[in-house]
Amino acid sequence: MPAATRPPQQRTQAIATLRAGDAVDSVFACTHKERQISRAGTPYLTVGLADSTGTILARAFRDADALAGGFQRGELVRARGRVERFREQLQIALETVARAQGAEADPARFLPTAYRDLDELEGFLEHLAREVYDPPLKALLARLLGDHELRAELRRAPCAVPAPAHLQHSAAAGATRRGAAGHHAYLGGLLEHTVAVATLALELCTLHPRLDRDLLLSAAIVHDLGKTGEYSYGAEITPSAEGRLLGHIELGLRLMACHAPGRLEGERRLALEHCVMLHHGPDAHTPQRFASAEALALYRLNALDAQVKGAFEHGFPGGAR
């Protein structure tokens, strides 16, 4: 069906393409919601709308309180109105706005995503897991990667919460869709980072054959698995309750405990858990010190990929690159 003849509920409009006078009837992410009072003393509603191309302000001067009850900040909303120019900026004069329903409320359409092909990255991950030959560690990886629910979350999860949408996007400037809050801060970022760290671990073991190859490679694959439960997804990526209260290291250790085969016990299991616990290095919350070369290596490799990726995403202070 041609786009021009699709019913409104099937049509999508990109914020970057909106022009003064355009009729709007589409789904957007609500990034801001505020009830305000006009000079005449009547209430009106200001709403920030965003998609993968930019952001725009929208205002409702009629039925403001009734409309405000139909959605919350952080949700996907269907907005209907007309684009106007106000003080040299485009905005939408809202007629209706309400929480999006059903299939149109898919957050993946509005969240930053990885450029790399996720199927290809999953293939790399499976290849890296096959490079582990120690039977208990191999069995652990097989159980983790055989958990279909976990695999789906691994494909979806970021490594960090992106910056708020109004800082990520600019309809006028066409700003980058990447967030500035951390490395790999987009859907699929966790899978991309995991493959990178595990690949670096494999290469390092070639240079330093005294490293326990199976231990380091296994630790690289599982070190951030707790991030699969650290986030919630809506109009924005936000920390989940588990992420806020426990953090991804504890969540990862729990995942490993649930999937660990009976033979992965004693010092072998402790060595793997030690690597995971210290992959950000010792600090006030983890007073332990590195007890193995593999834990130290994982810490350095994790930081290397995070910092190089961060440099590409956000640049260097002063604009150097």
Side-chain angles (χ1 to χ4, degrees):
M1 184 183 294
T5 61
R6 289 177 191 161
Q9 65 269 24
Q10 294 182 12
R11 191 169 61 240
T12 59
Q13 295 167 285
I15 287 175
T17 66
L18 295 178
R19 299 293 181 265
D22 286 353
V24 175
D25 187 356
S26 193
V27 176
F28 304 101
C30 174
T31 60
H32 174 78
K33 174 186 173 184
E34 185 177 3
R35 182 184 186 273
Q36 297 179 301
I37 302 297
S38 70
R39 291 180 180 178
T42 57
Y44 68 95
L45 185 65
T46 298
V47 182
L49 302 175
D51 64 12
S52 61
T53 70
T55 62
I56 192 169
L57 279 179
R59 290 186 172 92
F61 291 94
R62 301 170 105 185
D63 303 321
D65 290 335
L67 292 176
F71 68 99
Q72 297 296 329
R73 179 195 173 280
E75 294 181 329
L76 301 181
V77 298
R78 175 164 285 280
R80 185 163 64 87
R82 186 167 296 277
V83 181
E84 299 176 344
R85 188 172 294 279
F86 178 73
R87 294 178 181 173
E88 301 307 312
Q89 297 290 326
L90 295 180
Q91 68 174 27
I92 298 175
L94 286 172
E95 297 171 15
T96 63
V97 57
R99 185 179 297 110
Q101 302 292 332
E104 67 182 10
D106 178 11
R109 292 171 47 202
F110 300 89
L111 297 174
T113 57
Y115 286 118
R116 296 188 62 183
D117 184 87
L118 295 182
D119 290 335
E120 181 181 55
L121 287 170
E122 274 200 299
F124 284 139
L125 183 65
E126 291 170 355
H127 165 74
L128 290 162
R130 287 194 295 269
E131 291 293 315
V132 173
Y133 297 101
D134 177 273
L137 292 174
K138 190 175 188 70
L140 171 64
L141 296 181
R143 292 187 180 194
L144 288 167
L145 297 184
D147 183 329
H148 298 298
E149 224 175 277
L150 181 60
R151 283 287 287 268
E153 290 301 319
L154 178 59
R155 283 177 65 102
R156 178 165 74 159
C159 280
V161 174
H166 71 280
L167 297 179
Q168 288 185 54
H169 307 298
S170 167
T176 177
R177 61 180 179 153
R178 293 289 183 256
H183 68 95
H184 298 86
Y186 45 82
L187 298 183
L190 174 59
L191 180 58
E192 186 178 322
H193 174 61
T194 299
V195 168
V197 175
T199 301
L200 290 170
L202 201 57
E203 295 297 323
L204 185 65
C205 290
T206 302
L207 297 173
H208 294 282
R210 292 173 63 187
L211 285 166
D212 185 329
R213 182 177 177 277
D214 286 344
L215 174 62
L216 178 56
L217 185 52
S218 297
I221 291 172
V222 305
H223 78 282
D224 265 347
L225 272 185
K227 288 184 180 290
T228 57
E230 194 172 19
Y231 303 108
S232 296
Y233 308 91
E236 298 173 326
I237 300 172
T238 56
S240 65
E242 295 84 355
R244 288 196 314 273
L245 298 175
L246 299 177
H248 73 278
I249 292 178
E250 173 62 25
L251 293 175
L253 292 173
R254 292 184 179 194
L255 275 173
M256 288 166 52
C258 287
H259 291 81
R263 289 180 295 170
L264 184 57
E265 296 294 346
E267 291 188 8
R268 199 62 170 157
R269 180 167 174 172
L270 290 174
L272 181 63
E273 291 173 338
H274 177 71
C275 289
V276 172
M277 288 183 65
L278 289 180
H279 75 264
H280 288 303
D283 57 27
H285 303 291
T286 55
Q288 301 90 344
R289 294 295 179 260
F290 293 115
S292 69
E294 292 74 25
L296 174 61
L298 178 61
Y299 162 60
R300 294 297 186 186
L301 296 175
N302 178 64
L304 173 63
D305 183 59
Q307 290 167 10
V308 170
K309 183 66 173 179
F312 281 127
E313 290 177 341
H314 314 308
F316 296 91
R321 176 121 190 277

